[in-house]
Amino acid sequence: MWIYDSFEGLPEKSDKDRSALGVDFQKGVLVVTKREVKERFLRAGLPVPVIKKGWFADLTEMDLPEKIAFAFLDGDLYESIKDSLTLVGPKMSSGGVMLVHDYNNSALPGVAKAVNEWMQGKDLELRVLGSLMAIELK
Ligand SMILES: C[S@@+](CC[C@H](N)C(=O)[O-])C[C@H]1O[C@@H](n2cnc3c(N)ncnc32)[C@H](O)[C@@H]1O
């Protein structure tokens, strides 16, 4: 398992993220530390994953595993989800699944915008599960 996060909370919103319902999702909110994440795995008796600190926009394909079977994308904002899909999408195995959190969350409209743009012209199986979008790669 690999985890990627700024550990500095959310970055600045873009115009695509503006929503009257999303006023709480400001730059710097939702901060946790790398240590807190590690401790949660240890307390649960689970192996500690590879944890990479950084902004998604600064990651390259070298920072990711060669092939990915399952990815959970939870970056809340347009640029964050766009960057995640650009990095993770090409690494997905055939039959692999990406779950995108907040696809149906009207407080975070940038998520659906990034997903809808990215999936144009691609052969994918899509399923909306509550606030999640499940994308299966063919
Ligand atoms: C809603 S939280 C989800 C965290 C985790 N999935 C969970 O459920 O506890 C969103 C996380 O995305 C991170 N994040 C959002 N945009 C990012 C970006 N562009 N680069 C790095 N981290 C980002 C934030 O730091 C925050 O920890």
Side-chain angles (χ1 to χ4, degrees):
M1 186 187 277
W2 301 55
I3 290 179
Y4 301 86
D5 203 293
S6 64
F7 296 104
E8 293 181 34
L10 295 181
E12 198 77 65
K13 281 181 179 177
S14 73
D15 287 345
K16 299 197 169 163
D17 298 299
R18 305 275 168 233
S19 152
L21 295 173
V23 285
D24 291 339
F25 294 91
Q26 297 302 329
K27 183 179 175 192
V29 304
L30 303 172
V31 187
V32 291
T33 64
K34 212 169 167 177
R35 174 187 287 239
E36 282 175 282
V37 174
K38 262 189 200 169
E39 282 174 358
R40 285 194 182 207
F41 278 86
L42 291 170
R43 274 205 303 275
L46 294 168
V48 176
V50 177
I51 304 178
K52 296 217 173 196
K53 174 177 163 56
W55 296 105
F56 302 153
D58 297 331
L59 297 171
T60 72
E61 62 168 294
M62 304 297 286
D63 294 303
L64 277 75
E66 205 168 304
K67 276 276 170 207
I68 302 171
F70 175 79
F72 182 65
L73 310 184
D74 192 13
D76 291 355
L77 303 179
Y78 174 80
E79 294 291 344
S80 303
I81 295 298
K82 185 173 154 229
D83 291 340
S84 306
L85 289 165
T86 304
L87 279 164
V88 173
K91 300 264 187 172
M92 292 300 297
S93 310
S94 170
V97 171
M98 291 191 286
L99 274 187
V100 186
H101 198 221
D102 296 309
Y103 180 82
N104 259 345
N105 185 346
S106 40
L108 297 169
V111 173
K113 285 179 196 156
V115 171
N116 293 344
E117 281 173 23
W118 180 83
M119 60 193 198
Q120 289 305 312
K122 294 189 173 68
D123 189 15
L124 308 162
E125 178 82 26
L126 304 167
R127 233 162 303 153
V128 178
L129 309 162
S131 72
L132 297 167
M133 166 64 97
I135 305 173
E136 182 179 333
L137 286 288
K138 298 223 170 149

